[in-house]
Amino acid sequence: MSEWLNEWKRVDSTSSATASTVGQEPDELVGLSGPDFEQQWIKLMIEHHNEGVGLAEGVQRDGVSRDVNKFVSGTLVDLRFDVSRLEASKPG
């Protein structure tokens, strides 16, 4: 994916995700458990997926590769579906 973004000069240099941080528990979850953990995890996943939606929409708008746009279209469907499921899982 970064190859595609580099090709379009759309790499987000502010991204905090690196090979060393991917898969690590976010600070906002440390020390939480049970319902508190689940509620915060859902909140973070919704934020994360919505950021992905924004990036994908930018690729659709500015991208030039048909293959990438096709991939992004499918990804948007998945991201939006996941957000709706996460929203439905929020307590109360």
Side-chain angles (χ1 to χ4, degrees):
M1 180 64 97
S2 63
E3 260 183 55
W4 294 335
L5 295 174
N6 280 328
E7 182 180 317
W8 299 325
K9 297 179 173 60
R10 292 188 49 85
V11 173
D12 180 4
S13 61
T14 63
S15 175
S16 61
T18 65
S20 63
T21 60
V22 171
Q24 290 184 355
E25 187 171 276
D27 291 341
E28 297 91 343
L29 296 175
V30 173
L32 298 177
S33 62
D36 292 334
F37 177 90
E38 291 173 0
Q39 184 174 359
Q40 185 66 13
W41 181 85
I42 290 170
K43 177 182 177 274
L44 293 172
M45 289 304 295
I46 290 170
E47 291 172 3
H48 175 74
H49 280 61
N50 282 332
E51 288 174 9
V53 166
L55 288 171
E57 288 172 342
V59 170
Q60 276 191 326
R61 182 184 60 248
D62 302 330
V64 294
S65 168
R66 287 184 190 164
D67 290 336
V68 173
N69 280 331
K70 183 177 177 181
F71 172 78
V72 167
S73 292
T75 300
L76 273 170
V77 169
D78 293 341
L79 287 169
R80 289 177 176 144
F81 177 73
D82 289 347
V83 168
S84 69
R85 286 181 41 208
L86 288 162
E87 289 284 355
S89 299
K90 288 166 74 173

